[in-house]
Amino acid sequence: MATPTLTTETTIRPSSNSRGRAQVVFDWVRSWRLAILAALSWAFTIGGLVADYASDISTPTLVGIFMLAYLGGGTLATGAAISDLLDRKINVDLLMVLAAVGAAALGSWTEGAILLSLFSTSNALEHHALDKTRNAVRLLMDLTPPTARVERDRALRIIPVEELRLDDVIIVQPGEKIPADARVLSGSSTVDQAAITGESIPAGKIPGDTVFAGTINGHGALQARVTRLSTESTLARIVKLVEEAREQKSKLEQFADSFEGRYAAAVIVFSLLVATVPILFGVDPGDAFYRGMTLLVVMSPCALVISTPAATLSALANAARRGVLVKGGRSLETLGTVDTIAFDKTGTLTVGRPRLTDVVMLNGADPGDILARAAAAEQLSEHPIGTAIVEAARYQELILPPSSDLEAHVGRGITARVNGEVLAIGNERLFRDLGIDLPKAAVEHQNRLGEEGKSTMIVGDRAGVYAVLAVADTLRPGVRETVAALRKAGVKRTVMLTGDNALVANAIARSVGIDEVHADLLPEEKLAVIETLKASGKVAMIGDGVNDAPALAMADVGISMGGAGSDVALETSDVVLMSDDLGKLYGTISLSRAMRKTIRANLTFALSIITVLAISTLIVGIPLPLGVVGHEGSTVVVVLNGLRLLAHGGNFTLRARPQGSDQRRDHHEAPQYRLTIA
């Protein structure tokens, strides 16, 4: 690649300073307004307490100080309560505001100020904690570099990444971030794709491979052609889909949302009864009203309402960091309950590329010579089986002899002139038609390999039969371990759905450990099988997102492989494994179950605290400040418990890889085949 002359293109972009200091301050205040208001509320509350005990301050002045504390701690809550009331909704904020107003009506300004200070502090902590889950996804957008080195008019120009156009040729130096999704034109390197696929091992890249915006180039310079604009890159689509996923609530979240309003209304009515009915039986009105206000606080469902979203958002962010895109809490929640997992075969359990697996030599022929001659003939063909033979020969660095005059014999094989002699590669029918006798050993080995689910070819000419070759689609690394781990994790049934023939499908199923096989299926027949499976429990379907789209949509959870390179996978599935690592399926199910366990623990804890505090208030009559501490403390505890899912490990990669191995080895290299001398 010729190195163009480096020039720089001056681009006027708005500077952050142009907004002025006032705008910067405004943005900072808006970002930290909850914490600022909570701090102000505490400042005036503590100031009022100190003034009350340390000086002879007048009552109006003291009330004025506590009113400022009320404003700091209750302004946002009052606004939210009024807004929801206008929409005919009752929320937790209303309960807190009513309790604080009630305390003020009793002259307990101190308790009311402490209530609102603790409530605003809890809200600030909750907001900050949940922001961690949002930032875990939002930071993905920061991975894209601000500028790109682009080749235009036979010169290199540095321009803002937003100005890149389709088919622009970009240059990425070692160590730089890739500015856009692109296809490599020249150069070779390794690229750290962890932000997209979650893979810890850098992926090898050569001409023809795809690179993604936000990934980090390794040791070699790359020249690549832009295939997607910055706003349409895989990274941008991931962020958009994750943001949308946050709005798609699980069943537990939907229940919590509907429960909050009805429960809050019931708490208000019950608290009013507690504050008024005892007066009819001679209880002091002040004591009754105080107990009613305390009950209003301790029965507030803050901890209950936040229990589910705190855990769900943390789990979604964790999955996204590991290269698993889950489209909403509902999908993640359901994934942990599946009884049956249905696998597509080609491209999911297997690599999806035929490879030479066996070479059986006959009559003392030389393996290298025969493979080179077969590859020379097959390189004239575009058949996938022939491609597998050619790749194996090139992997062995064999020198291919000259070949010509390819003739395809439909359903039988091919013939071609290699080194001046006609070479035949095909099945028994081809050799019978050519009048070439087949030795018994060739037929026996062909049948044996065929029973293993492999496609076989006999190689020979009029001078004799030299070899039997077998080609098969090979398993993805870690498939056996994944299926075994799923079974140990409680998945009751694993099923293979494939359009391939039953012989091949059963051979793959036996080697992997799949329980049930449905072969020779059309896409609509896969759909019918999924419907049948759903009759006995929850079903997840994992496929490549293209021909499996109907089945993916029918399953309770549709899962796509290799979403980093597939628009269809990103659009049609509930869960997308961005890399081709099937081990991430087990990790995601483990995360789903941890999320469900965390939600159950949160709900149990929140309900227990509410029950204990409510009973104590009714029977003993606990002080309002103690009720506030118990209520707000439980809210903080469930939020922090939910945040633990951000660090949940799970086992997202079941197979071990040697250091420095290339996750795309299967794409660029052919495996060693099994050689048999018959």
Side-chain angles (χ1 to χ4, degrees):
M1 177 183 73
T3 303
T5 304
L6 178 63
T7 64
T8 58
E9 181 177 273
T10 303
T11 305
I12 299 176
R13 289 186 294 167
S15 169
S16 60
N17 292 331
S18 64
R19 297 183 301 170
R21 291 182 179 273
Q23 183 64 41
V24 173
V25 172
F26 175 78
D27 289 344
W28 183 86
V29 170
R30 183 174 57 181
S31 176
W32 290 93
R33 66 186 184 280
L34 291 176
I36 293 170
L37 290 172
L40 288 173
S41 183
W42 276 116
F44 288 117
T45 298
I46 294 172
L49 289 170
V50 171
D52 188 24
Y53 288 100
S55 64
D56 187 16
I57 189 171
S58 65
T59 300
T61 303
L62 186 61
V63 170
I65 294 174
F66 283 128
M67 286 182 67
L68 291 174
Y70 269 51
L71 287 174
T75 299
L76 294 180
T78 302
I82 293 174
S83 176
D84 274 6
L85 278 176
L86 293 175
D87 290 334
R88 297 183 179 180
K89 297 177 183 177
I90 297 176
N91 62 16
V92 172
D93 298 295
L94 180 62
L95 301 185
M96 295 297 102
V97 171
L98 289 176
V101 170
L106 289 172
S108 302
W109 287 92
T110 302
E111 286 86 345
I114 292 173
L115 165 62
L116 291 178
S117 296
L118 281 170
F119 183 62
S120 59
T121 301
S122 175
N123 280 343
L125 290 173
E126 176 188 316
H127 180 79
H128 177 70
L130 293 183
D131 258 358
K132 287 186 176 181
T133 67
R134 298 184 181 97
N135 288 337
V137 176
R138 192 180 299 128
L139 287 175
L140 288 173
M141 286 306 295
D142 296 335
L143 294 173
T144 304
T147 60
R149 187 181 290 104
V150 61
E151 184 179 324
R152 286 182 182 172
D153 302 325
R154 304 181 68 178
L156 288 181
R157 303 182 185 277
I158 298 176
I159 65 172
V161 71
E162 295 84 3
E163 295 182 11
L164 281 174
R165 301 190 296 259
L166 289 178
D167 295 328
D168 269 346
V169 176
I170 56 175
I171 310 297
V172 186
Q173 298 293 347
E176 291 183 343
K177 291 181 179 179
I178 295 170
D181 286 8
R183 189 171 300 281
V184 177
L185 297 177
S186 65
S188 62
S189 184
T190 57
V191 175
D192 182 352
Q193 299 186 152
I196 302 294
T197 65
E199 293 284 345
S200 58
I201 304 299
K205 299 294 181 180
I206 63 174
D209 285 344
T210 298
V211 291
F212 304 109
T215 56
I216 303 172
N217 187 24
H219 58 77
L222 295 175
Q223 183 188 54
R225 188 179 302 281
V226 174
T227 56
R228 286 195 182 102
L229 300 177
S230 61
T231 55
E232 300 170 353
S233 69
T234 299
L235 182 61
R237 288 183 295 152
I238 291 173
V239 174
K240 178 183 176 183
L241 288 170
V242 172
E243 292 292 338
E244 291 175 351
R246 294 216 317 259
E247 305 302 322
Q248 297 177 12
K249 298 181 179 180
S250 67
K251 291 181 179 179
L252 283 173
E253 286 181 284
Q254 291 172 346
F255 172 75
D257 287 348
S258 62
F259 168 81
E260 179 185 0
R262 295 194 296 268
Y263 179 83
V267 168
I268 292 174
V269 172
F270 185 54
S271 298
L272 287 174
L273 292 174
V274 171
T276 56
V277 171
I279 298 174
L280 302 176
F281 298 93
V283 176
D284 180 74
D287 290 342
F289 193 70
Y290 187 86
R291 186 166 298 192
M293 292 303 99
T294 304
L295 195 66
L296 199 64
V297 172
V298 300
M299 292 190 67
S300 175
C302 289
L304 281 174
V305 171
I306 200 62
S307 292
T308 301
T312 301
L313 291 176
S314 297
L316 289 173
N318 186 338
R321 281 207 317 265
R322 296 174 182 271
V324 180
L325 175 58
V326 185
K327 297 184 182 178
R330 182 184 304 174
S331 299
L332 189 57
E333 179 186 319
T334 304
L335 187 59
T337 66
V338 296
D339 309 292
T340 302
I341 298 182
F343 296 87
D344 173 49
K345 181 183 76 69
T346 306
T348 302
L349 294 173
T350 65
V351 175
R353 290 170 56 87
R355 288 177 172 170
L356 183 66
T357 59
D358 296 83
V359 175
V360 180
M361 302 308 303
L362 307 170
N363 300 327
D366 177 70
D369 175 63
I370 297 303
L371 183 58
R373 291 173 62 190
E378 291 287 4
Q379 72 178 347
L380 303 175
S381 168
E382 295 182 354
H383 196 282
I385 291 179
T387 301
I389 296 173
V390 175
E391 286 183 352
R394 287 176 176 167
Y395 180 74
Q396 298 294 329
E397 298 182 350
L398 300 177
I399 298 175
L400 306 188
S403 58
S404 61
D405 301 334
L406 173 73
E407 184 176 352
H409 302 264
V410 179
R412 291 168 291 172
I414 66 166
T415 56
R417 191 169 296 277
V418 180
N419 271 340
E421 299 291 336
V422 175
L423 184 72
I425 306 174
N427 56 25
E428 294 179 57
R429 287 179 55 197
L430 176 64
F431 282 81
R432 284 200 303 268
D433 292 347
L434 295 175
I436 300 175
D437 292 332
L438 286 176
K440 182 179 179 181
V443 177
E444 290 176 348
H445 284 294
Q446 184 185 40
N447 292 338
R448 173 181 61 82
L449 293 170
E451 289 173 358
E452 295 177 8
K454 299 173 182 178
S455 300
T456 59
M457 296 151 287
I458 301 171
V459 181
D461 57 24
R462 296 196 180 278
V465 174
Y466 306 116
V468 177
L469 308 181
V471 169
D473 191 2
T474 55
L475 293 176
R476 286 193 181 279
V479 169
R480 294 184 183 90
E481 294 82 354
T482 297
V483 173
L486 291 172
R487 186 170 288 108
K488 289 180 180 178
V491 174
K492 297 177 182 178
R493 180 165 55 167
T494 54
V495 180
M496 179 195 294
L497 307 181
T498 179
D500 210 341
N501 66 75
L503 186 65
V504 173
N506 283 305
I508 294 291
R510 284 193 300 271
S511 64
V512 170
I514 296 291
D515 300 321
E516 186 177 322
V517 175
H518 298 267
D520 299 304
L521 299 178
L522 297 173
E524 57 268 25
E525 292 172 328
K526 288 185 179 182
L527 187 69
V529 174
I530 293 293
E531 284 186 294
T532 302
L533 294 174
K534 286 178 67 175
S536 58
K538 296 286 186 182
V539 177
M541 166 73 185
I542 178 166
D544 58 15
V546 183
N547 62 332
D548 298 313
L552 291 172
M554 173 58 64
D556 294 294
V557 182
I559 307 168
S560 284
M561 289 280 290
S566 171
D567 291 332
V568 176
L570 286 173
E571 297 300 329
T572 61
S573 306
D574 303 305
V575 179
V576 184
L577 310 182
M578 299 303 292
S579 69
D580 289 327
D581 186 355
L582 196 60
K584 291 184 184 295
L585 174 60
Y586 171 75
T588 308
I589 291 177
S590 172
L591 178 62
S592 170
R593 292 180 174 176
M595 182 191 79
R596 291 173 58 84
K597 183 178 179 180
T598 300
I599 291 173
R600 286 196 298 268
N602 279 351
L603 292 174
T604 301
F605 175 76
L607 282 170
S608 299
I609 294 296
I610 289 174
T611 302
V612 169
L613 290 176
I615 292 174
S616 300
T617 300
L618 291 171
I619 297 176
V620 180
I622 63 175
L624 179 59
L626 180 59
V628 171
V629 171
H631 168 265
E632 300 301 338
S634 65
T635 302
V636 172
V637 168
V638 299
V639 169
L640 293 178
N641 191 42
L643 286 179
R644 291 190 308 111
L645 290 172
L646 283 172
H648 176 78
N651 196 343
F652 277 78
T653 304
L654 291 173
R655 67 181 186 273
R657 299 185 189 208
Q659 185 66 28
S661 66
D662 180 357
Q663 75 180 50
R664 292 177 60 88
R665 183 185 304 276
D666 58 88
H667 180 73
H668 297 310
E669 298 179 0
Q672 294 284 357
Y673 50 80
R674 181 174 60 186
L675 176 63
T676 303
I677 306 297

